[in-house]
Amino acid sequence: MTRRIRFNGTDSKNGGCPAVHEVVGTDDFIVQGIPVTDPDEVSQLRHLGPDDVAVVVPRETLVNHGPKELVRVPKLIDLEEFGRLFETFEHTAWRLETRGRYQSDTEDPTFDEFVREGRFDLDTDDEWSQLMRRQTSAGKTVGRVRIVDEAPTVGQRFLLADAPRNAAAGEDMRYLWRGEADDRNLPHEDFWIFDSRLVAFLRFDDEDVLHGAEIITDPAEVNRYMQLRDIATHGAIPHDVFAERVAQLDK
């Protein structure tokens, strides 16, 4: 089975090697660099097997993008503490959404209405909308990029129909097709970035229920997530334009 590999970062000024990647879900890292080919230099290396390749990587790259702890102990917060982040952030909040469904959506009465009739009335005065209006009216920025399968799931279609509610509260709602997201090596992960200094990595179970978030504040890790934000946002399609394209596909 092909392993999922996540780009951690590079200190190259032109985006090339050397670089560090992480094998998702394991303790393995992949280091990319210039091969050591000089026979005299190779002869000085110990325990280099016949199938091994040695590469040169600057200390800076390993320090900035390699693991900082032998065993990482995540800092976890519950849903109540996670919710407070939306009240206390100072200037920006941004999310990447990648899942095909969210259990919380299916528990909303409007979800059943959408499944039956293909539409529902938007509640632009719900608690979330009120909070977002207060924050965006104060000059703060809130945005999302949602990843949608080429054959959108019911859950993805429901959220697309609900996107005008988010937009009415001041959120910048944008979309990418799954294939394009994969071409950009975007992870299949959901997370929020707050004020470019804190990442809340969302933790779901196998039933798509959100149980809390892992808080990441290490500057190198936060920087990696901000790079993912920039990659996802570039060329992402505004929600209303994307909805029109999906409607055309359905004809």
Side-chain angles (χ1 to χ4, degrees):
M1 183 176 65
T2 302
R3 298 179 296 177
R4 279 210 305 123
I5 297 174
R6 181 171 62 197
F7 173 70
N8 272 20
T10 177
D11 293 307
S12 171
K13 301 304 182 288
N14 59 11
C17 69
V20 176
H21 295 74
E22 182 176 352
V23 182
V24 178
T26 75
D27 292 326
D28 293 338
F29 285 76
I30 297 174
V31 179
Q32 171 186 329
I34 299 174
V36 179
T37 57
D38 183 279
D40 292 334
E41 293 180 352
V42 172
S43 67
Q44 300 177 58
L45 302 177
R46 301 184 61 180
H47 310 301
L48 188 70
D51 297 324
D52 295 340
V53 176
V55 298
V56 177
V57 180
R59 180 188 301 270
E60 178 185 28
T61 301
L62 293 179
V63 170
N64 288 342
H65 306 293
K68 303 300 185 293
E69 302 167 306
L70 181 60
V71 177
R72 179 176 176 179
V73 180
K75 178 183 177 181
L76 305 179
I77 62 174
D78 60 20
L79 293 178
E80 182 178 355
E81 188 173 356
F82 171 61
R84 286 198 292 270
L85 293 174
F86 298 96
E87 300 174 355
T88 60
F89 76 94
E90 297 179 1
H91 51 79
T92 57
W94 183 88
R95 178 177 180 177
L96 180 67
E97 292 185 28
T98 68
R99 303 178 72 85
R101 71 188 291 273
Y102 298 89
Q103 181 63 33
S104 58
D105 292 334
T106 66
E107 296 169 355
D108 191 315
T110 59
F111 184 84
D112 290 336
E113 182 181 354
F114 175 76
V115 172
R116 292 193 310 269
E117 303 179 16
R119 62 169 303 279
F120 60 95
D121 293 328
L122 298 175
D123 180 7
T124 58
D125 202 36
D126 65 303
E127 185 176 350
W128 175 262
S129 295
Q130 292 181 38
L131 174 59
M132 289 301 101
R133 276 198 299 272
R134 290 196 301 271
Q135 297 291 41
T136 57
S137 296
K140 302 178 186 181
T141 300
V142 182
R144 312 185 195 213
V145 170
R146 285 175 170 162
I147 310 302
V148 173
D149 295 323
E150 274 66 16
T153 67
V154 173
Q156 290 167 346
R157 288 176 179 272
F158 171 73
L159 287 177
L160 181 57
D162 191 51
R165 177 181 63 88
N166 300 86
E171 292 190 59
D172 179 30
M173 305 296 296
R174 296 180 179 271
Y175 282 78
L176 276 179
W177 291 110
R178 178 80 66 189
E180 185 172 358
D182 290 342
D183 288 342
R184 299 183 186 191
N185 291 319
L186 290 172
H188 293 197
E189 302 171 353
D190 276 42
F191 58 86
W192 280 93
I193 305 174
F194 296 95
D195 297 330
S196 300
R197 64 174 183 82
L198 181 152
V199 173
F201 181 91
L202 305 187
R203 299 172 68 95
F204 294 87
D205 63 19
D206 292 339
E207 301 300 321
D208 304 304
V209 177
L210 176 64
H211 289 281
E214 175 183 345
I215 297 301
I216 300 170
T217 56
D218 177 81
E221 277 285 280
V222 173
N223 181 64
R224 184 178 69 81
Y225 280 99
M226 288 194 296
Q227 292 177 16
L228 293 173
R229 176 194 62 191
D230 293 345
I231 292 170
T233 303
H234 179 69
I237 305 169
H239 72 93
D240 50 348
V241 176
F242 192 83
E244 291 176 1
R245 297 184 182 182
V246 171
Q248 289 296 321
L249 292 176
D250 291 339
K251 291 182 178 179

